Amino acid sequence: MALSFRICSSSPLICRATLSNGDNSRNYHTTDAAFIRRAADLSEMSAGLTSPHPNFGCVIATSSGKVAGEGYLYAQGTKPAEALAVEAAGEFSRGATAYLNMEPGDCHGDHTAVSALVQAGIERVVVGIRHPLQHLRGSAIRELRSHGIEVNVLGEDFESKVLEDARKSCLLVNAPLIHRACSRVPFSVLKYAMTLDGKIAASSGHAAWISSKLSRTRVFELRGGSDAVIVGGNTVRQDDPRLTARHGQGHTPTRIVMTQSLDLPEKANLWDVSEVSTIVVTQRGARKSFQKLLASKGVEVVEFDMLNPREVMEYFHLRGYLSILWECGGTLAASAISSSVIHKVVAFVAPKIIGGSKAPSPVGDLGMVEMTQALNLIDVCYEQVGPDMLVSGFLQPIPDLLPVIPSEDATVEIDPSVDPFEPSIIFFYKTWDLYGSFSNFSPHPIRMPYGEENDDYMTWSSVEHYYQVPHNSPCKMVSCSFKTT
Ligand SMILES: Nc1nc(O)c(N)c(N[C@@H]2O[C@H](COP(=O)(O)O)[C@@H](O)[C@H]2O)n1
């Protein structure tokens, strides 16, 4: 998700009240806010690569306010941001303050981030937001405090306008994970490019290109930061898109095609799955012979009893997708907006006029008849990209999680039958469950004994890779040493 906004309106993004602070602490707050923003910016450098883990950034600042070290999580499974930052700061970490955009996801058995800060002699930690996942929320903060480190959480221990803005930047960089924590659908961004007269193609359907090369590179970046890109059947028929991220870095998202009829061409760029996979979601029973053809090309087909944007998004949420970029035409866009699955809109407006009463527009019929019914975007940003104007904003605010969560003791008081840390039951159906790394959908590598010798190990890219091994394989899965952070 690109966040280099230039001009922003002042409408509220977060549904929470802010308190004012006294003048004495203004400088102190400004410094904290600046370092937290820096941690958020750092964390975004690996957007798209850390999913389903959050984007983590860490800045170590000395008591004189100088940056001694920085770090960010490069990709899931790599060294935590905190460990990288204290390594970079070396001896300057002693007595310093660590700024984290988000509370580390330290869960049982994995305290690398906290240990790095404790061992480095950090005296104070400022946290932008608590971890959004319930089973991780507050545990690293408690752990740090138990080691005598002063921990301040923005919006809890002190509040001011500058700190609230810094906190917003932390919510923005991990918006997909925060949405996952509170809803059953992935964070969805509707992106389109249109002419100044509001058309996404000529009346012939021709659309290459409306926006500039620079804008299209920005779209590659958006794709690179998303888990999947979704289009409808009409876009496949009209544009034969590739939907790849071709800006030279980041990952390439899964391509999803949503089609009721499965009336799709036999040859299409999306059926080439040599580099990245394509999933076609369709109505149960649609064109069985075409389903077979797609399967023979390596395209996964998923049938739905009720094919609609909400059902499809709930399905991909269960499969562990955090963020989806919608690059569809107006009909599907309208249906997705009506189903309330679109959270953000990103529109490239090109200074061109194509005209045509039959030329398509980005959003089809929403059933509105009066301007008062129009959906107003919040936190609107404007940026010039080459000759085009990029307008973006939220259709739904980023949910703000309650800052205080029940402690382990309080949870037991509420429902004594619940043991929040029951060791004999582990959940890993979803990748973000406590043991989500065991999920077939989680791309964590696993190391397992191989062959008859006890000290012989083999590494598999994921649990799914292991299960793809034929049954007579000498591999035996006995343990996996990872947890969801
Ligand atoms: N950003 C942008 N500018 C334009 O002028 C466009 N016509 C589009 N179209 C979208 O991009 C898809 C093509 O993607 P590939 O280049 O093939 O990867 C097309 O299907 C539209 O969704 N976008």
Side-chain angles (χ1 to χ4, degrees):
M1 185 170 46
L3 285 169
S4 51
F5 305 137
R6 301 285 193 277
I7 315 162
C8 289
S9 75
S10 56
S11 46
L13 170 70
I14 312 302
C15 308
R16 273 188 85 243
T18 45
L19 303 173
S20 63
N21 63 301
D23 276 351
N24 293 350
S25 49
R26 188 169 290 152
N27 288 343
Y28 182 54
H29 285 188
T30 307
T31 310
D32 282 352
F35 285 132
I36 283 289
R37 274 178 174 280
R38 174 69 189 150
D41 287 348
L42 281 171
S43 78
E44 229 216 338
M45 292 175 85
S46 52
L49 297 174
T50 54
S51 178
H53 294 245
N55 298 318
F56 285 115
C58 174
V59 177
I60 308 290
T62 61
S63 52
S64 59
K66 291 215 165 64
V67 173
E70 293 182 334
Y72 63 92
L73 183 71
Y74 295 135
Q76 61 166 311
T78 60
K79 207 178 247 192
E82 296 78 359
L84 290 170
V86 293
E87 262 174 36
E91 266 315 296
F92 291 107
S93 299
R94 207 147 291 283
T97 298
Y99 292 89
L100 323 180
N101 63 305
M102 183 187 279
E103 174 184 16
D106 272 24
C107 44
H108 310 298
D110 178 10
H111 295 264
T112 325
V114 167
S115 304
L117 297 171
V118 172
Q119 279 162 20
I122 293 291
E123 253 177 28
R124 177 175 175 243
V125 173
V126 182
V127 174
I129 54 171
R130 283 178 185 259
H131 201 292
L133 299 185
Q134 185 72 21
H135 62 272
L136 301 173
R137 207 161 156 70
S139 89
I141 291 171
R142 269 198 303 275
E143 182 71 14
L144 285 164
R145 283 179 177 150
S146 76
H147 283 93
I149 294 176
E150 179 191 354
V151 183
N152 299 128
V153 184
L154 299 198
E156 294 179 29
D157 298 301
F158 37 58
E159 298 186 55
S160 72
K161 175 78 178 79
V162 281
L163 290 174
E164 188 55 25
D165 288 347
R167 200 171 152 272
K168 265 188 196 178
S169 62
C170 299
L171 288 162
L172 279 170
V173 287
N174 279 303
L177 191 79
I178 294 165
H179 269 277
R180 170 180 279 180
C182 339
S183 77
R184 289 184 300 140
V185 291
F187 180 68
S188 278
V189 177
L190 170 65
K191 164 261 143 189
Y192 53 83
M194 67 174 196
T195 60
L196 203 53
D197 55 335
K199 315 290 185 192
I200 56 165
S203 32
S204 64
H206 190 256
W209 297 104
I210 296 163
S211 66
S212 64
K213 205 165 174 207
L214 215 55
S215 294
R216 291 185 337 257
T217 303
R218 287 294 289 272
V219 173
F220 296 155
E221 288 168 14
L222 283 172
R223 290 176 185 170
S226 308
D227 292 342
V229 181
I230 186 165
V231 292
N234 204 34
T235 301
V236 181
R237 287 188 291 271
Q238 285 283 347
D239 301 350
D240 189 17
R242 283 183 278 171
L243 304 179
T244 46
R246 306 191 285 278
H247 58 300
Q249 54 191 330
H251 89 122
T252 304
T254 302
R255 287 94 48 103
I256 303 169
V257 180
M258 185 171 161
T259 164
Q260 198 95 28
S261 60
L262 210 61
D263 176 17
L264 298 170
E266 289 192 3
K267 283 197 180 140
N269 285 321
L270 292 182
W271 311 158
D272 175 2
V273 293
S274 52
E275 275 176 33
V276 60
S277 58
T278 300
I279 304 172
V280 173
V281 293
T282 190
Q283 191 66 39
R284 187 167 302 290
R287 293 189 71 197
K288 284 287 183 190
S289 57
F290 194 76
Q291 289 196 25
K292 277 201 188 119
L293 179 90
L294 288 178
S296 71
K297 291 173 188 281
V299 175
E300 184 184 345
V301 180
V302 182
E303 293 182 304
F304 282 73
D305 290 328
M306 292 272 278
L307 187 77
N308 60 52
R310 179 150 289 274
E311 294 279 329
V312 170
M313 287 302 99
E314 285 178 4
Y315 171 79
F316 282 101
H317 169 82
L318 285 175
R319 274 182 74 155
Y321 286 73
L322 276 178
S323 57
I324 311 267
L325 185 66
W326 292 68
E327 290 205 54
C328 52
T331 310
L332 184 52
S335 171
I337 290 174
S338 301
S339 317
S340 302
V341 298
I342 302 293
H343 303 99
K344 187 179 179 187
V345 177
V346 174
F348 292 88
V349 185
K352 292 177 185 176
I353 291 181
I354 188 74
S357 55
K358 296 227 165 63
S361 63
V363 181
D365 195 3
L366 291 173
M368 295 177 185
V369 288
E370 291 194 5
M371 215 26 99
T372 48
Q373 294 174 290
L375 303 169
N376 286 309
L377 298 191
I378 46 181
D379 261 285
V380 181
C381 294
Y382 307 90
E383 182 189 346
Q384 189 174 340
V385 182
D388 308 324
M389 184 56 86
L390 172 55
V391 184
S392 63
F394 289 80
L395 275 177
Q396 302 175 35
I398 296 176
D400 199 4
L401 300 161
L402 288 173
V404 182
I405 54 158
S407 66
E408 213 171 315
D409 300 341
T411 310
V412 177
E413 267 169 38
I414 294 163
D415 182 354
S417 68
V418 172
D419 179 349
F421 303 112
E422 162 61 63
S424 64
I425 302 170
I426 64 166
F427 294 93
F428 56 89
Y429 180 62
K430 300 170 209 138
T431 49
W432 60 95
D433 282 335
L434 181 53
Y435 290 86
S437 310
F438 287 101
S439 157
N440 284 20
F441 301 129
S442 177
H444 279 83
I446 57 170
R447 213 165 78 88
M448 289 179 301
Y450 183 79
E452 300 307 317
E453 301 301 320
N454 280 347
D455 54 356
D456 223 359
Y457 283 86
M458 189 159 169
T459 301
W460 302 88
S461 303
S462 69
V463 170
E464 177 63 17
H465 283 79
Y466 166 72
Y467 278 118
Q468 292 293 337
V469 175
H471 285 306
N472 60 1
S473 150
C475 283
K476 261 188 309 193
M477 179 170 168
V478 293
S479 68
C480 294
S481 56
F482 45 65
K483 295 205 176 113
T484 300
T485 57

